[in-house]
Amino acid sequence: MRTEDRKVAVNAYKKREVEGGIYAVRCVASGEVWVGGAPDLSKIQNRLWFTLRQGTNTHRSLQIAWNAHGAEAFSFELVERLDAEEIGYVRDRVMKERLVLWSEQLRAVRI
């Protein structure tokens, strides 16, 4: 890749819209649900699936279910997108509040 092309690609990456919010991971085989919040929803599933495949996910119940049922038993869904306009500390507070709400509504484990 030429230097000029690389600079253009880096600038485009920096200017992309980052969307935060709440997501759910479901195990069809067991009926278990986990919910989490992420400042960048576009990357969280890849991160979770990578750690689960490696056996290094820090959320014990999720890792145990993954090991027992395999990747094909799991689904990932976006539950709620948060307003990107909010200032960082306000967004963090809102995300925590929404995470509590969704974990109660879905009867899910927070991750």
Side-chain angles (χ1 to χ4, degrees):
M1 180 181 264
R2 295 184 341 208
T3 304
E4 186 175 308
D5 294 338
R6 188 175 188 314
K7 286 180 182 179
V8 169
V10 168
N11 283 334
Y13 179 80
K14 288 179 181 180
K15 290 179 183 177
R16 72 179 169 57
E17 287 289 320
V18 176
E19 193 171 52
I22 308 298
Y23 62 88
V25 175
R26 295 180 186 270
C27 178
V28 177
S30 69
E32 293 173 280
V33 181
W34 296 264
V35 293
D40 187 351
L41 289 171
S42 70
K43 297 179 180 182
I44 192 65
Q45 182 181 4
N46 284 339
R47 184 179 309 140
L48 282 171
W49 265 227
F50 177 79
T51 60
L52 289 164
R53 283 191 308 269
Q54 298 300 312
T56 59
N57 190 279
T58 58
H59 306 290
R60 188 163 173 77
S61 64
L62 178 56
Q63 186 68 62
I64 289 169
W66 181 277
N67 293 346
H69 304 292
E72 61 281 346
F74 286 81
S75 66
F76 179 90
E77 65 185 75
L78 300 179
V79 177
E80 180 178 4
R81 288 173 164 73
L82 299 180
D83 186 6
E85 299 289 319
E86 294 179 356
I87 304 169
Y89 71 90
V90 174
R91 187 180 56 238
D92 291 346
R93 181 181 48 83
V94 169
M95 187 177 300
K96 287 178 186 176
E97 291 170 358
R98 302 304 292 170
L99 188 54
V100 169
L101 174 85
W102 281 108
S103 64
E104 290 170 357
Q105 277 189 343
L106 299 174
R107 296 187 179 129
V109 175
R110 287 191 312 213
I111 56 175

